[in-house]
Amino acid sequence: MPNPAEATAPRPLPGRKAQAARNDELILAAAREVFLADPKAPISAVAERAGVGISALYRRYAGKEELLRTLCYDGLRRYNAEAEAALENPDDWQVLVEFLVRVVDADVHSLTVHLAGTFTPDDSILPEVLRAGELSESIIARAHRSGRLRASFTAQDLGLLLEACAALTLPDAARTAQLRRRVLALLIDGLATPGELPGPPPAPDEFAHRWQPRGQ
């Protein structure tokens, strides 16, 4: 009898498609390393880091702008995926803690810190942007429901906290991750401290100007 698990398992990609998928993974991983280190680096540096020919890169991406856009859009999708996973936690306070740990470990906000303004966004990402806002609001609402989160902390404050962690960078990636977790632990303790935060929280579109191409 056929194995039901085998019947439902995804079929492996044909040879050329599998190679193309592997190349794409290599290209995106290399692009992240290259452009986070130097957003002005040429696209040829990505091909060299990925170990693929420049022609293979251009078959997948029309140019540097499209590659940067894909990299940042993938980061936003990762943010949403980590938020959805954290919201499965039944503990209202731990939803926030788990989300922060997940997103800091995924390091998606380094893309914002380093690459905002290096490409022109398009409308294709709008559903993910709206979804990110909804998920962030849900996480903060759950944390407030726990009674432990500062009353003045809002979903818009999340970006400030996450970018503060992303700004901490050392040449040693493992040490960077350790120190970010250390800082995050201190910040989480601060989130549960009573008292008002100074000034108003960021407006929803207050940082939107960063995504305008630099020089405009």
Side-chain angles (χ1 to χ4, degrees):
M1 292 181 64
N3 187 329
E6 292 178 355
T8 58
R11 294 181 179 179
L13 293 171
R16 287 186 178 180
K17 289 186 177 181
Q19 183 60 50
R22 284 193 294 272
N23 283 348
D24 198 38
E25 290 177 2
L26 291 171
I27 289 168
L28 288 176
R32 181 185 176 92
E33 293 177 8
V34 168
F35 292 139
L36 286 184
D38 180 10
K40 295 182 179 179
I43 198 170
S44 58
V46 176
E48 182 178 354
R49 179 72 62 89
V52 302
I54 193 70
S55 59
L57 191 154
Y58 276 117
R59 279 197 296 271
R60 179 64 182 84
Y61 299 99
K64 180 177 177 178
E65 172 136 333
E66 183 180 348
L67 184 52
L68 287 166
R69 186 183 298 117
T70 300
L71 196 61
C72 285
Y73 288 9
D74 282 355
L76 181 55
R77 295 186 186 98
R78 177 70 182 274
Y79 177 97
N80 289 347
E82 299 298 356
E84 288 168 350
L87 281 163
E88 294 295 322
N89 195 316
D91 185 304
D92 288 336
W93 173 250
Q94 287 302 317
V95 163
L96 175 59
V97 174
E98 181 181 338
F99 166 72
L100 291 173
V101 170
R102 282 176 172 273
V103 175
V104 168
D105 284 352
D107 195 21
V108 299
H109 279 73
S110 284
L111 299 171
T112 298
V113 170
H114 294 280
L115 302 184
T118 60
F119 65 93
T120 303
D122 60 28
D123 291 341
S124 67
I125 197 59
L126 186 57
E128 296 290 345
V129 171
L130 296 175
R131 180 62 175 155
E134 294 169 353
L135 291 166
S136 297
E137 292 285 357
S138 295
I139 288 168
I140 295 305
R142 291 274 305 273
H144 278 306
R145 194 184 310 158
S146 75
R148 296 184 62 182
L149 180 62
R150 283 175 180 261
S152 56
F153 190 87
T154 72
Q156 283 70 44
D157 287 308
L158 280 173
L160 300 179
L161 188 153
L162 291 168
E163 288 189 30
C165 290
L168 178 58
T169 304
L170 293 174
D172 185 331
R175 183 61 177 149
T176 295
Q178 288 178 340
L179 292 179
R180 285 177 178 173
R181 279 289 197 99
R182 187 177 178 88
V183 169
L184 181 59
L186 294 170
L187 292 172
I188 289 171
D189 283 348
L191 294 180
T193 301
E196 289 293 316
L197 292 168
D205 60 351
E206 192 164 353
F207 293 98
H209 68 279
R210 296 187 301 180
W211 294 98
Q212 294 298 318
R214 294 171 187 171
Q216 291 189 8

